[in-house]
Amino acid sequence: MILAAHQPQYLPWLGYLDKIDRADVFVLLDSVQFKKNEWQNRNRIKDARGWHWLTVPVRHRFRQQIAEVEIADPRWRRKHRRSLEVAYGQSAHYAPEVERLDAIYGREWNDLLSL
């Protein structure tokens, strides 16, 4: 049996998804301390101009667990969705996945863990 654990990440990288796929049991490690502006609430995308950070705004306290962190402002969703469209809208794999993006960015999220 293969057991794997990892902290939740916003827009996880392929290695993260591979880790989940290879594990028989995957533990989402959400009871550890949240670190603002780490991979838990932001990630980078690359477009023709270079790398850009997409950051989910959060409300948090020092020593707060990831599972307790709330999202601060719903306006980030429109910006992130548009940024992904601009960066990847012309790629061959964008159109088949746009419904999934709309399902994520069209919904209001209250906390980081749910997102």
Side-chain angles (χ1 to χ4, degrees), residues 7-36:
Q7 297 173 11
Q9 292 185 340
Y10 178 60
L11 300 176
W13 56 294
L14 290 177
Y16 185 99
L17 300 175
D18 184 55
K19 183 178 186 177
I20 294 170
D21 186 53
R22 291 174 183 256
D24 296 312
V25 176
F26 181 78
V27 177
L28 193 60
L29 190 58
D30 62 352
S31 59
V32 296
Q33 182 176 335
F34 172 75
K35 289 176 69 178
K36 187 176 181 185

Side-chain angles (χ1 to χ4, degrees), residues 33-44:
Q33 182 176 335
F34 172 75
K35 289 176 69 178
K36 187 176 181 185
N37 292 330
E38 291 287 333
W39 303 106
Q40 299 155 356
N41 74 307
R42 71 180 188 164
N43 212 322
R44 296 184 311 167

